[in-house]
Amino acid sequence: EDESEEEPKLKYERLSNGVTEILQKDAASCMTVHEKFLALGTHYGKVYLLDVQGNITQKFDVSPVKINQISLDESGEHMGVCSEDGKVQVFGLYSAEEFHETFDCPIKIVAVHPHFVRSHFKQFVTGGKKLLLYERGWMNRWKPLVLHEGEGNIRNVKWRGHLIAWANNMGVKILDMISKQRITNVPRDDISLRPDMYPCSLCWKDNLTLIIGWGNSVKICSVKERHASEMRDLPNRYVEIVFQFDTEFYISGLAPICDQLVILSYVKEVSEKTEVECCARPRLDIVQPLPESCEEISSDALTVRGFQENECRDYHLEYSEGESLFYIISPRDVVVAKERDQDDHIDWLLEKKKYEEALMAAEISQKTIKKHKILDIGLAYINHLVEKGEYDLAARKCQKILGKNTELWEFEVYKFKEIGQLKAISRYLPRQDPVLKPLIYEMVLHEFLESDYEGFATLIKEWPGDLYNNTIIVQAVVDHLKKDPQNRTLLRTLAELYTYDQRYSRALEIYLTLRHKDVFQLIHKHNLFSSIRDKIVLLMDFDSEKAVDMLLDNEDKISIDRVVEELENRPELQHVYLHKLFKRDHHKGQRYHEKQISLYAEYDRPNLLPFLRDSTHCPLEKALEICQQRNFVEETVYLLSRMGNSRSALKMIMEELQDVDKAIEFAKEQDDGELWEDLILYSIDKPPFITGLLNNIGTHVDPILLIHRIKEGMEIPNLRDSLVKILQDYNLQILLREGCKKILVADSLSLLKKMHRTQMKGVLVDEENICESCLSPILPSDASKSFNVVVFHCRHMFHKECLPVSNTVSPVQFCNICSAKHRGPGSAILEMKK
């Protein structure tokens, strides 16, 4: 992808106001950043305190020569300054506390303790040929301590927590202030580079991570605790290089940004004209460190003032940790780099005409963006799509972007009208909440009416009728129908408009003329049954099934008599209606059953016989007459049998149909011996009939009766098979009888045993029982008296003396009550004596 399509990660602006004024007369040599203010040192020995906009708040004349380093504690209340003439000053910005010292050599660096504001942390270090630690002791006297010397000038120092990192000509060292031990030495990679021209850049990412940039090499070091078992005479901490890689250009400064690095690079290039190496614009790169390499995330070339004359040592990179602000300092310019926010991201997307992405980004971040409005971006997107000719997409986006703003909707509609694209926006016009002016919808409808009847019909169907003036649109359609009166689309649309206008009768006329499927829905929906009383034939012609269902479902609105009367001249439709009525209810149309006989006979003979069977109101004589006239044999046979003339019916089956199976079936249904006799007599001289009878009558008539009547010598087809079948049927009957007999005997024996067990059980006799004859208690009140009681199996009880004397010699007695009621023998099971 082209570089121009890659969005930059940072945005840049020059630090102006007071800085511009300073750098017109002087040159920047160093700068330190605090979250509250900036401190700028110049070549003329001045130190300026600036606010974040670059306005001068304080000025200090420190030295007549170049300021080499400015250091601030974390509170921003104390500042240390060193200069090229060997002067070092540490003083309070808001107190009278001050330290002055002049050395006999240039002092390149100074660093105050991060917590210098606290009384027990009054320490700072300076670096020239030696690294000195100054610590305020008793009587406020400052006591120096040499931390390191003998490896050339100290070029850079960074103090973080209890760790001090510094760079000299040989490499980078780290000192643990708690143990006062040096814990590492990271040697310089490229010793060919002059350390004064290509100074080392140091930066603490956190209290235990140091970033080193020197020449074109970057190392990220992590300070770790040494395990107790490994200490011996070693420091309790050690340093591990976790990332190391080389860059394309020389490093002038670096700073962390999340888990990535910001690197300021000094660039040299060969001029195309003179072919001489010269200074190019410095670069600010964001890279992702990898164990042995790095991945470039972004790279920007910076146009700083006077870059053609600058060297690597003239550039510095400082940063504000809390705000992700990066300051690029050069002698004639100070540039601030900031992380791009969502507004900047949207600006870039709009610049690249990526409107949809810009709109999406704005919607996601609508609470945080300050510069942009979603509506403005959306309108720009619509205009962009219109310019590209993507009218349908532009119209579709209007729904989302314009929302409920009626003024903007109407403005966009007129804009689409000007470019001749009203059709494109028609599908997306709001139809409720909000609703636009009726004129807008009418304008769109007229556009379709002039050029697209189908589109016009679709809009009329989809749009609610209250969006526009119905009368105006109806008149416009009527005018067009004058030119094309048979246009079905316009007629259908006019019917819908009449429906919206509640002129249902006119709509119904058009629907019936067009034979439109919605005619029944219209009638039901608007209860137009009074309007169709004289249009029943038209409805039946259009769709007889739906029409009949509708008429039968609404008998209370259009009576059966009215429908039959209307269909009088169309008997085939009359039959359809009456047949459906009969299917629903056999009794509702009983007065028309006589008429239906002729209608069935004429138009639907297959349903005539079922009708005759199901109808109880049909005149049989009239039906028989019609069936005989039309020679409907099956129907005539049924009517004759129903009227009791079974012999004539059978004769007709045999003579007219000559169907022995049907004749036999008929005889079986009637179950009349005389019919079987007639059937045998008729069949006796017809061998095929004899075969049929032999095959079927075995279970109803004794086959011997038929066999005895067969003339000797008559040839009968399949006689052997028929006789075999008779014998098989007979054997089957015998087997069935024997099986039934066995079952009957087994059941009888089982029931007898059950009865015997039941009768053998004792019967409770107590004071509540009475004699069935005298109705007095069965047991005497005086138990000492003798008594005789007879109890029968039917549970009736008698005093012995109350039973009548038996006339038979049989010793078995029977219950008088049960015997009188013919309930079977109630023989006595117990005679009690005492």
Side-chain angles (χ1 to χ4, degrees):
E1 192 176 41
D2 190 76
E3 282 190 9
S4 61
E5 291 300 315
E6 294 182 5
E7 182 180 0
K9 302 296 181 183
L10 302 171
K11 61 178 179 179
Y12 303 91
E13 61 182 23
R14 280 191 168 85
L15 198 60
S16 55
N17 300 323
V19 174
T20 304
E21 181 183 338
I22 294 167
L23 298 184
Q24 284 175 350
K25 304 173 183 178
D26 204 342
S29 60
C30 61
M31 188 167 125
T32 296
V33 176
H34 189 268
E35 61 182 13
K36 299 176 182 177
F37 60 90
L38 313 175
L40 177 67
T42 69
H43 280 260
Y44 288 171
K46 308 291 192 295
V47 174
Y48 296 92
L49 298 187
L50 313 168
D51 61 19
V52 291
Q53 281 80 36
N55 298 303
I56 301 171
T57 59
Q58 274 185 281
K59 175 183 175 184
F60 301 95
D61 290 319
V62 177
S63 170
V65 296
K66 175 184 173 184
I67 301 295
N68 286 329
Q69 181 87 42
I70 301 173
S71 175
L72 296 169
D73 66 352
E74 289 183 358
S75 69
E77 297 181 13
H78 295 82
M79 182 168 64
V81 181
C82 64
S83 57
E84 193 68 23
D85 59 0
K87 287 185 178 180
V88 175
Q89 292 187 27
V90 177
F91 55 91
L93 295 176
Y94 311 107
S95 65
E97 188 176 9
E98 189 172 3
F99 169 83
H100 290 270
E101 184 70 53
T102 302
F103 295 87
D104 57 358
C105 65
I107 299 299
K108 299 295 183 183
I109 58 96
V110 65
V112 299
H113 194 291
H115 303 297
F116 192 89
V117 69
R118 301 179 188 174
S119 59
H120 54 287
F121 288 127
K122 297 297 184 180
Q123 298 172 322
F124 65 90
V125 293
T126 63
K129 293 179 180 180
K130 302 176 183 178
L131 181 67
L132 295 175
L133 170 66
Y134 282 84
E135 186 170 7
R136 191 169 70 177
W138 185 358
M139 301 295 291
N140 289 333
R141 292 182 179 179
W142 291 91
K143 178 183 177 182
L145 174 66
V146 176
L147 297 178
H148 185 71
E149 64 179 331
E151 293 184 357
N153 286 333
I154 308 299
R155 303 290 177 183
N156 198 353
V157 67
K158 293 293 179 183
W159 194 335
R160 180 74 174 249
H162 299 295
L163 299 174
I164 301 175
W166 71 92
N168 56 27
N169 293 348
M170 304 304 293
V172 176
K173 281 77 176 170
I174 300 176
L175 178 75
D176 185 349
M177 286 294 293
I178 296 176
S179 63
K180 293 292 194 296
Q181 288 182 305
R182 196 170 67 190
I183 61 175
T184 190
N185 175 34
V186 182
R188 178 157 68 108
D189 288 338
D190 189 353
I191 59 174
S192 65
L193 295 176
R194 288 176 53 186
D196 59 331
M197 297 298 292
Y198 298 92
C200 175
S201 297
L202 299 175
C203 173
W204 286 101
K205 181 180 179 181
D206 54 46
N207 287 347
L208 297 174
T209 306
L210 177 67
I211 306 170
I212 303 170
W214 206 338
N216 62 349
S217 172
V218 176
K219 294 183 177 72
I220 300 178
C221 306
S222 178
V223 178
K224 298 185 176 181
E225 296 287 338
R226 197 184 301 275
H227 194 273
S229 62
E230 300 174 351
M231 282 191 183
R232 300 186 187 96
D233 297 328
L234 299 174
N236 59 356
R237 292 185 177 184
Y238 68 98
V239 172
E240 180 181 335
I241 298 176
V242 292
F243 295 103
Q244 180 174 349
F245 55 87
D246 292 335
T247 61
E248 186 179 354
F249 306 107
Y250 297 117
I251 298 167
S252 294
L254 38 71
I257 175 172
C258 299
D259 60 340
Q260 298 169 346
L261 287 182
V262 178
I263 301 177
L264 177 63
S265 300
Y266 170 69
V267 181
K268 283 192 173 184
E269 62 184 6
V270 178
S271 172
E272 294 180 359
K273 295 180 180 179
T274 62
E275 297 185 358
V276 176
E277 191 176 57
C278 59
C279 299
R281 293 184 298 167
R283 281 178 33 167
L284 194 69
D285 300 334
I286 298 179
V287 300
Q288 176 68 57
L290 301 174
E292 295 182 358
S293 63
C294 67
E295 178 186 355
E296 184 180 281
I297 306 300
S298 73
S299 181
D300 300 317
L302 309 179
T303 306
V304 298
R305 296 187 181 101
F307 68 87
Q308 301 89 342
E309 303 168 1
N310 293 339
E311 297 292 338
C312 182
R313 62 183 178 183
D314 295 324
Y315 293 109
H316 306 280
L317 178 65
E318 298 290 338
Y319 73 102
S320 173
E321 290 186 31
E323 302 176 22
S324 293
L325 295 176
F326 304 93
Y327 295 85
I328 299 95
I329 301 101
S330 70
R332 296 295 178 187
D333 216 347
V334 178
V335 177
V336 184
K338 300 179 182 178
E339 279 193 276
R340 295 171 64 85
D341 58 18
Q342 203 65 10
D343 278 310
D344 300 314
H345 175 57
I346 293 170
D347 275 334
W348 184 83
L349 291 172
L350 293 175
E351 181 184 336
K352 297 298 179 182
K353 298 189 181 301
K354 297 183 178 182
Y355 290 95
E356 187 163 12
E357 294 177 39
L359 187 60
M360 190 182 301
E363 288 171 350
I364 293 171
S365 308
Q366 58 182 325
K367 293 183 179 179
T368 58
I369 56 176
K370 301 174 182 177
K371 180 179 176 183
H372 295 282
K373 294 181 180 177
I374 294 175
L375 181 58
D376 294 339
I377 298 170
L379 293 174
Y381 186 23
I382 293 172
N383 292 335
H384 173 68
L385 292 172
V386 169
E387 289 171 5
K388 287 175 63 179
E390 296 183 21
Y391 303 114
D392 186 75
L393 182 57
R396 188 160 67 245
K397 293 298 178 183
C398 286
Q399 282 186 309
K400 179 179 179 181
I401 294 166
L402 304 183
K404 298 182 180 182
N405 193 318
T406 55
E407 291 183 5
L408 286 176
W409 266 110
E410 290 168 5
F411 175 79
E412 290 298 327
V413 171
Y414 281 113
K415 190 165 70 175
F416 273 76
K417 176 178 172 58
E418 289 174 6
I419 58 176
Q421 291 296 328
L422 269 180
K423 288 184 180 180
I425 202 171
S426 63
R427 287 188 294 168
Y428 308 105
L429 288 178
R431 301 168 193 180
Q432 60 179 6
D433 193 26
V435 174
L436 310 182
K437 294 177 182 176
L439 179 63
I440 299 294
Y441 301 101
E442 292 163 15
M443 184 169 64
V444 175
L445 289 172
H446 278 294
E447 177 78 16
F448 274 91
L449 191 56
E450 293 298 328
S451 58
D452 182 2
Y453 287 163
E454 289 296 335
F456 174 75
T458 301
L459 288 183
I460 292 297
K461 199 166 188 176
E462 292 178 353
W463 285 1
D466 55 356
L467 292 180
Y468 47 85
N469 188 322
N470 202 61
T471 306
I472 293 175
I473 303 302
V474 167
Q475 188 57 50
V477 175
V478 170
D479 292 342
H480 276 264
L481 279 171
K482 290 176 182 177
K483 305 172 190 175
D484 187 4
Q486 300 304 317
N487 190 294
R488 295 180 65 83
T489 302
L490 285 181
L491 284 170
R492 187 175 69 250
T493 309
L494 182 60
E496 290 179 6
L497 289 168
Y498 280 142
T499 303
Y500 293 149
D501 212 18
Q502 298 184 2
R503 289 188 272 181
Y504 303 120
S505 297
R506 290 195 176 187
L508 186 60
E509 288 176 10
I510 296 174
Y511 278 135
L512 286 172
T513 304
L514 296 174
R515 301 171 74 87
H516 195 276
K517 61 181 178 60
D518 289 345
V519 65
F520 297 102
Q521 182 182 349
L522 181 72
I523 294 168
H524 275 293
K525 186 175 180 179
H526 301 291
N527 198 19
L528 303 179
F529 295 98
S530 59
S531 302
I532 63 167
R533 293 179 186 276
D534 56 348
K535 298 180 177 64
I536 293 173
V537 174
L538 285 173
L539 287 168
M540 293 284 286
D541 279 335
F542 171 39
D543 189 331
S544 60
E545 187 174 346
K546 282 188 176 180
V548 170
D549 286 338
M550 181 187 71
L551 292 168
L552 292 177
D553 290 340
N554 296 275
E555 289 177 33
D556 56 329
K557 296 165 185 171
I558 302 179
S559 68
I560 296 171
D561 296 338
R562 177 59 186 266
V563 175
V564 174
E565 181 184 346
E566 283 293 319
L567 298 175
E568 192 64 40
N569 296 326
R570 296 290 299 275
E572 73 279 9
L573 298 178
Q574 197 177 58
H575 164 68
V576 172
Y577 174 75
L578 289 173
H579 172 65
K580 204 81 176 265
L581 174 63
F582 181 74
K583 286 289 184 184
R584 286 199 179 192
D585 191 326
H586 293 347
H587 307 290
K588 272 192 177 178
Q590 62 186 40
R591 60 178 295 187
Y592 299 108
H593 283 196
E594 181 176 347
K595 177 190 283 285
Q596 282 185 269
I597 300 170
S598 301
L599 293 175
Y600 276 112
E602 182 68 30
Y603 302 107
D604 189 10
R605 186 190 167 185
N607 281 315
L608 174 57
L609 187 56
F611 170 73
L612 293 173
R613 284 177 176 156
D614 294 339
S615 173
T616 57
H617 307 286
C618 153
L620 300 180
E621 295 82 1
K622 177 70 174 176
L624 182 62
E625 180 185 344
I626 292 172
C627 291
Q628 287 176 337
Q629 286 175 358
R630 293 178 177 267
N631 197 26
F632 291 170
V633 178
E634 290 186 20
E635 291 82 355
T636 303
V637 167
Y638 169 74
L639 289 168
L640 286 171
S641 68
R642 186 170 168 185
M643 294 169 72
N645 197 351
S646 301
R647 303 185 75 173
S648 298
L650 180 64
K651 183 179 179 182
M652 196 169 191
I653 293 172
M654 293 186 293
E655 293 178 354
E656 296 291 336
L657 297 178
Q658 294 189 352
D659 187 340
V660 66
D661 293 330
K662 188 166 284 190
I664 293 169
E665 188 65 33
F666 180 76
K668 287 180 181 178
E669 287 177 2
Q670 301 301 318
D671 196 19
D672 187 345
E674 292 183 0
L675 283 181
W676 285 110
E677 184 68 25
D678 290 346
L679 181 57
I680 292 170
L681 288 173
Y682 180 80
S683 306
I684 202 66
D685 59 347
K686 300 177 180 60
F689 274 50
I690 292 175
T691 302
L693 284 170
L694 288 173
N695 287 335
N696 290 285
I697 69 170
T699 56
H700 296 272
V701 179
D702 188 353
I704 300 298
L705 296 175
L706 176 60
I707 293 170
H708 282 166
R709 297 187 185 189
I710 298 172
K711 294 178 181 179
E712 191 173 335
M714 178 180 286
E715 187 176 338
I716 299 171
N718 301 318
L719 177 60
R720 184 178 65 82
D721 295 339
S722 299
L723 292 175
V724 170
K725 185 174 186 299
I726 289 172
L727 293 173
Q728 287 176 342
D729 289 348
Y730 179 75
N731 287 333
L732 181 62
Q733 287 182 12
I734 295 301
L735 289 172
L736 285 172
R737 286 179 183 177
E738 289 179 354
C740 291
K741 182 180 177 182
K742 288 179 181 179
I743 294 170
L744 181 62
V745 170
D747 285 352
S748 299
L749 182 60
S750 174
L751 291 171
L752 182 61
K753 289 179 178 178
K754 184 178 179 181
M755 184 182 74
H756 184 260
R757 286 195 303 270
T758 303
Q759 291 180 345
M760 290 299 291
K761 292 179 180 180
V763 178
L764 175 66
V765 179
D766 57 18
E767 294 81 358
E768 293 182 1
N769 299 107
I770 61 172
C771 173
E772 298 292 342
S773 179
C774 66
L775 302 179
S776 60
I778 198 72
L779 298 178
S781 56
D782 187 0
S784 62
K785 292 182 179 180
S786 62
F787 62 92
N788 291 329
V789 174
V790 178
V791 180
F792 291 93
H793 291 300
C794 58
R795 301 301 189 265
H796 289 135
M797 302 178 187
F798 296 89
H799 294 125
K800 177 74 180 251
E801 58 271 17
C802 293
L803 279 173
V805 178
S806 175
N807 296 326
T808 65
V809 280
S810 172
V812 179
Q813 288 182 302
F814 297 95
C815 173
N816 292 341
I817 296 173
C818 292
S819 299
K821 293 181 178 179
H822 306 290
R823 291 184 179 176
S827 57
I829 61 168
L830 181 65
E831 182 174 339
M832 297 176 61
K833 297 181 179 180
K834 183 177 178 183

